[in-house]
């Protein structure tokens, strides 16, 4: 071995010895723990930063694949056309009022409904055995107020009610799906010997439309404008 190589090896040995002595002077393995702790901290910090960056800045899998983010569920609900047919809110309000009236009047069967002035609620007429009862229902369907009516049920209404297979709320739903508008009134009637629900719907331009629904099978017989 050359003299130069021996000199390099000697210098290396001296350097290693100095490092070992310095480590012992710090209290045994303290230096290694500090180094290891720093490494762990750096690794943890790096992982945290990476996770944060992925959560806030990195594109999602759907973005990476298509270049744009797919719409969220809430975005689809508010931005895309609803599956509910047009006039769905009106259908819900009217049918809710009818159901509320029938639940409030024991044994009652609704056969007429009228919208109160200024949209303040509904007036519903029900048949209770051989009598009729009127109630007022709030616009939200939460409050039902019986009116002081104790009239005898008209014989024609009694006969028509006996033929009804499709309840008033179903007839209203059919009419509002047929004509986009708001309900003005609905009542039981006859048309050429057929028992019908006559549903009066007001369109947005003010046009009044009468929809005649077969009370036995629920079919639309005619629409009068």
């Amino acid at each position: 071995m050359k003299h130069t190589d021996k000199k390099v090896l000697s210098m290396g040995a001296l350097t290693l010895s100095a490092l070992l002595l310095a480590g012992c002077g710090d209290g045994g393995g303290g230096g290694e723990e500090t180094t290891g702790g720093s490494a762990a901290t750096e690794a943890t910090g790096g992982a945290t930063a990476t996770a944060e960056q992925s959560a806030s800045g990195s594109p999602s899998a759907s973005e990476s694949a298509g270049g744009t983010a797919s719409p969220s569920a809430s975005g689809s609900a508010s931005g895309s056309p609803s599956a509910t047919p047009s006039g769905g809110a009106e259908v819900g309000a009217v049918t809710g009022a009818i159901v509320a009236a029938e639940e409030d009047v024991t044994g009652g069967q609704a056969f007429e409904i009228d919208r109160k002035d200024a949209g303040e609620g509904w007036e519903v007429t029900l048949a209770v055995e051989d009598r009729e009862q009127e109630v007022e229902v709030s616009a939200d369907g939460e409050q039902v107020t019986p009116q002081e009516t104790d009239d005898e049920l008209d014989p024609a209404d009694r006969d028509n009610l006996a033929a009804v297979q499709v309840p008033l709320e179903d007839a209203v739903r059919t009419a509002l799906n047929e004509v986009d508008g708001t309900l003005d009134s609905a009542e039981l009637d006859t048309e050429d010997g057929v028992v019908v629900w006559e549903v009066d719907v007001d369109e947005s331009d003010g046009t009044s439309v009468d929809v005649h629904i077969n009370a036995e099978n629920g079919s639309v017989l005619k629409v009068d404008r």
Side-chain angles (χ1 to χ4, degrees):
M1 181 180 294
K2 294 182 181 181
H3 178 72
T4 303
D5 294 337
K6 289 180 179 181
K7 185 176 179 180
V8 171
L9 288 173
S10 297
M11 292 296 291
L14 288 172
T15 302
L16 179 59
S17 297
L19 289 173
L20 290 173
L21 288 172
C24 292
D26 290 339
E32 292 178 1
E33 291 176 4
T34 302
T35 304
S38 299
T41 302
E42 291 174 3
T44 304
T48 303
T50 302
E52 291 175 350
Q53 182 179 3
S54 299
S56 60
S58 300
S60 64
S62 59
E63 289 175 323
S64 299
T68 57
S70 58
S72 63
S74 59
S76 299
S78 60
S80 60
S82 169
T84 305
S86 59
E90 177 72 359
V91 171
V94 179
T95 57
I98 296 171
V99 171
E102 291 181 332
E103 288 179 347
D104 189 79
V105 179
T106 303
Q109 180 182 1
F111 65 94
E112 185 175 343
I113 184 171
D114 294 276
R115 183 187 295 274
K116 295 178 64 178
D117 294 339
E120 295 177 352
W122 311 91
E123 293 178 350
V124 183
T125 305
L126 306 97
V128 187
E129 296 181 352
D130 61 346
R131 315 293 294 179
E132 67 177 48
Q133 173 68 55
E134 290 184 2
V135 298
E136 291 187 355
V137 183
S138 59
D140 58 7
E142 296 294 327
Q143 185 175 358
V144 180
T145 306
Q147 302 301 296
E148 294 187 8
T149 55
D150 192 25
D151 297 333
E152 185 175 350
L153 188 64
D154 186 274
D157 289 332
R158 184 186 300 110
D159 292 342
N160 289 340
L161 281 167
V164 170
Q165 299 296 321
V166 177
L168 175 57
E169 59 266 31
D170 287 352
V172 168
R173 183 181 296 107
T174 298
L176 289 174
N177 285 338
E178 183 75 19
V179 178
D180 188 11
T182 58
L183 179 76
D184 182 64
S185 65
E187 62 182 354
L188 199 58
D189 203 350
T190 56
E191 183 78 23
D192 297 330
V194 178
V195 179
V196 300
W197 291 110
E198 184 177 340
V199 185
D200 187 4
V201 180
D202 292 332
E203 293 183 314
S204 58
D205 62 359
T207 302
S208 180
V209 183
D210 287 332
V211 184
H212 294 255
I213 309 294
N214 190 315
E216 295 183 14
N217 58 31
S219 62
V220 178
L221 296 178
K222 66 177 181 178
V223 177
D224 287 339
R225 281 183 166 81

